[in-house]
Amino acid sequence: MVGSVGVLAAAIAIGLGALGAGLGAGLVVSKTQEGIARQPEARGILQTNMFVGVALVEVVPIFAAVIAFIVMNK
């Protein structure tokens, strides 16, 4: 049985992971749009780098969920 501290820790881990990923993805997309506005001819490479960056940022909530599951199972 998991105590209330474990449940709270899991909720905080998932919440902060989602918050960080949301802010990170927003910044990556925002800066990509600024770059495209400044240099439209570089759109292809900027979009490719943006997709890689967003994929890396999205790993954070997955790790947070794994940590939450580990905390809940102890």
Side-chain angles (χ1 to χ4, degrees), residues 11 30 39 57 64:
S30 169
Q39 290 185 326
V57 167

Side-chain angles (χ1 to χ4, degrees), residues 23-68:
L23 290 173
L27 286 173
V28 168
V29 173
S30 169
K31 295 301 179 180
T32 301
Q33 291 300 316
E34 286 179 17
I36 291 172
R38 290 182 182 166
Q39 290 185 326
E41 66 275 2
R43 179 180 181 195
I45 191 71
L46 289 173
Q47 278 188 336
T48 302
N49 288 338
M50 179 193 70
F51 289 134
V52 170
V54 169
L56 291 175
V57 167
E58 289 299 322
V59 170
V60 172
I62 294 170
F63 283 145
V66 168
I67 290 170

